[in-house]
Amino acid sequence: MADTAPPPPRIPPPITDASRAFWTGGADGQLLIQRCDACDRWIHPPEGACPHCGGGLIAAPVSGKGTIFTFTVNRHQYHPDVPPPYVVAIVELGEQPGLRFTTNIVNCDHDTLQIGAPVRVVFERAGEAWVPVFEPDA
Ligand SMILES: [Zn+2]
């Protein structure tokens, strides 16, 4: 069944100094992920220093393209302000194997989603945050 209803208002995420770029890059249409200036690894979730080498991290734009690593369609109302159904997914970004985060898949037919399908980032405003979610990238 296609989900054609407009999305409900998003609950603003907590923003920290380390996560500010990730949550606000969408204001400029950019998904910003921290990258180590010493070993060049992309690091997520946001940290204070590279967990591999201790190097400094700088938020840098990624393509916003990735694939669905796994997903589920939630049909139960766990929060009074978040009406089901909605898709909870882990998306792996194209920049680096294992660079994944939990998100939602929007603008899609829930019944045709597949693991491995290409997706691209879109942003949904929530307070001062621009929450990165994904839609099918045909
Ligand atoms: Zn590093």
Side-chain angles (χ1 to χ4, degrees), residues 8 10 12 18 24 26 35 39 52 66 78 81 85 94 102-103 111 115 123 130 132 134:
R10 284 213 167 256
T24 62
R35 189 166 200 182
C39 73
H52 300 281
Y78 290 106
D81 296 334
T102 305
T103 183
D111 292 336
I115 288 171
F123 298 95
W130 294 74
F134 289 79

Side-chain angles (χ1 to χ4, degrees), residues 43-54:
I43 305 298
H44 191 81
E47 308 249 359
C50 177
H52 300 281
C53 76

Side-chain angles (χ1 to χ4, degrees), residues 65-69 90-94 96-101 119:
K65 292 180 179 272
T67 55
I68 297 174
F69 180 75
I90 296 175
V91 164
E92 181 165 287
L93 297 177
Q96 177 177 288
L99 182 62
R100 302 174 188 143
F101 64 90
V119 289

